[in-house]
Each structure stands twice: as structure tokens, then as C-alpha cells.
Amino acid sequence: MQEAVVRTARLDLHPSWTAGELGRRVDGLLLRLADRFSIKGIVPGHIKALVSEGERYAVFSCTRPGSVSMKPSAQWAETVFQHPQINLNVVLVNDWPVAEAERQVDEIVAQLFPGSHFESHCHHDH
């Protein structure tokens, strides 16, 4: 069984964040989620985030605790972000009850992005 927890938010950053600041925050989010959902040193599925504003974007991916890969667009590093959109996708292929997985994702998101409103998008493949 595969369960996906999908969240989307558009951040309103005052003051603006550099690509480095935003990247570190998203990196930290994926690392915390990987720690929470890992089993015997791997994430049973994957955790991904797409962060974008205009033409600038980066894709973050994590399949094991302690390691996040990032693939940025050409102008990512020079960008200062004010209203980036974050699309978060947590796919788990074990027996996590989906309601519990959603609760834990929301708890970690709220800790790392306080005051931001992440919309819920449920997706279940059985």
C-alpha cells in the first residue's frame, strides 16, 4: 500500500529570504521528516519538495535520513524570495496510518514554517 501526504503553501516572507536561507529551511524540513518516518536507516518511499517563485525553482529530494539532494534552476542561487510556493510530497510505502502520517507532517511543517498556511491535498493509492 502506498500513501502520499501532499501539502502546498505560498509563503509571504517579510523580510525576504535569500536562496540559501530558503534552501536551508526546506532542507531542514525534509531532514526532520526523514528522521520521523525512517525505518532502519531508510525512508520507505520518498520525500520531495518543489520550491518555486517565477522562473526560479529547486527540487529537493530525500530517501534516507541525513541526506537531501537539491537540483536548482540556473538563477536559483542569486534569487531573493518574497512569495515562494512550496509543494511538499511525502510518499510512504509501509503501513503508516495515513491520518497519523498527515498529523506528523503537519506538526513538523508548523514547527519549521510557523504562521504559514499549508493546504492539504490527500492522495491514496491502494
Side-chain angles (χ1 to χ4, degrees), residues 18-102:
T18 65
E21 290 172 300
L22 182 56
R24 279 190 296 280
R25 191 71 63 105
V26 174
D27 214 61
L29 173 62
L30 269 62
L31 290 171
R32 289 276 298 279
L33 291 168
D35 284 344
R36 182 72 54 98
F37 293 116
S38 69
I39 298 171
K40 297 181 182 176
I42 64 159
V43 175
H46 67 256
I47 303 167
K48 293 187 178 187
L50 169 64
V51 181
S52 60
E53 185 170 348
E55 298 296 311
R56 277 108 168 143
Y57 66 88
V59 177
F60 296 79
S61 180
C62 182
T63 57
R64 66 180 189 275
S67 177
V68 174
S69 67
M70 188 209 18
K71 294 183 176 131
S73 66
Q75 306 84 13
W76 169 265
E78 302 87 51
T79 305
V80 176
F81 292 91
Q82 291 185 306
H83 305 287
Q85 179 167 311
I86 299 177
N87 298 305
L88 177 66
N89 191 335
V90 181
V91 175
L92 302 172
V93 292
N94 63 348
D95 291 328
W96 277 96
V98 70
E100 177 62 14
E102 289 179 331

